[in-house]
Amino acid sequence: MKSNRQKKILEIVNRYTVETQDDLIDRLEVEGFMVTQATVSRDIRELQLSKVLTGKGTYRYVAPKKEDMASGIKFNAALVESIISVEYAQNIVVIKTYPGLANAVASGIDNLAIADVLGCVAGDDTIFVATKQEGSAKLFSERIRIMMRG
């Protein structure tokens, strides 16, 4: 049941513009799958779906490319261009983004699966990244700055 549902989710996000979990739940119901929001949330995480900005200024769910599923989702240029500044204090990195983009950038950071990064907390335009130690925070900040310079 779970694998069939997840296959259907991938089919839906590849075929339709799915902006919210509620949109996905509605599409699944049309396809005969009765699911809760918690189940859809778990499926989204397990399938490594991410939200990307559309040309209309809205977000939609997308599945990772096949090559990305093996190597992790790449931190693409659009995410890097969303970053305004990067600073660190002790083992915390503070990343400022344009309004509304912090969650997308934090998701991209989480998907990089960097060993010294413990996790991210994102607001509207600010991300706190916790690292294992201060040296890790400094290196991570430098890596982000290098990506920002292109």
Side-chain angles (χ1 to χ4, degrees):
M1 176 95 155
K2 178 179 176 178
S3 65
N4 289 338
R5 183 182 64 245
Q6 288 187 347
K7 284 179 190 174
K8 186 55 71 175
I9 289 171
L10 291 172
E11 184 181 307
I12 289 169
V13 298
N14 286 324
R15 185 180 301 162
Y16 302 103
T17 299
V18 178
E19 295 180 358
T20 65
Q21 290 184 5
D22 286 335
D23 291 344
L24 186 53
I25 290 168
D26 292 343
R27 293 268 182 200
L28 284 167
E29 285 179 4
V30 168
E31 297 290 334
F33 293 90
M34 302 304 290
V35 294
T36 64
Q37 183 276 329
T39 298
V40 167
S41 182
R42 247 186 327 274
D43 287 339
I44 287 169
R45 186 175 50 255
E46 289 175 13
L47 292 169
Q48 297 182 347
L49 300 183
S50 57
K51 278 194 163 185
V52 297
L53 190 61
T54 68
K56 298 177 186 176
T58 60
Y59 290 90
R60 68 177 289 215
Y61 284 104
V62 295
K65 296 176 187 168
K66 289 192 191 297
E67 69 229 24
D68 288 342
M69 292 191 74
S71 63
I73 296 174
K74 295 179 181 144
F75 199 65
N76 69 33
L79 293 179
V80 172
E81 290 173 7
S82 301
I83 298 171
I84 297 170
S85 67
V86 180
E87 298 294 331
Y88 77 95
Q90 297 178 359
N91 70 317
I92 302 294
V93 178
V94 179
I95 300 173
K96 291 291 201 171
T97 70
Y98 291 103
L101 297 176
N103 277 304
V105 173
S107 180
I109 291 168
D110 286 339
N111 283 309
L112 289 173
I114 299 169
D116 285 345
V117 172
L118 299 173
C120 301
V121 176
D124 183 60
D125 62 358
T126 305
I127 305 163
F128 290 111
V129 181
T131 63
K132 289 184 178 178
Q133 53 194 338
E134 185 171 350
S136 301
K138 180 179 179 182
L139 288 172
F140 179 76
S141 297
E142 289 170 1
R143 284 177 67 184
I144 296 294
R145 285 190 196 100
I146 289 167
M147 286 190 274
M148 288 171 66
R149 287 192 290 262

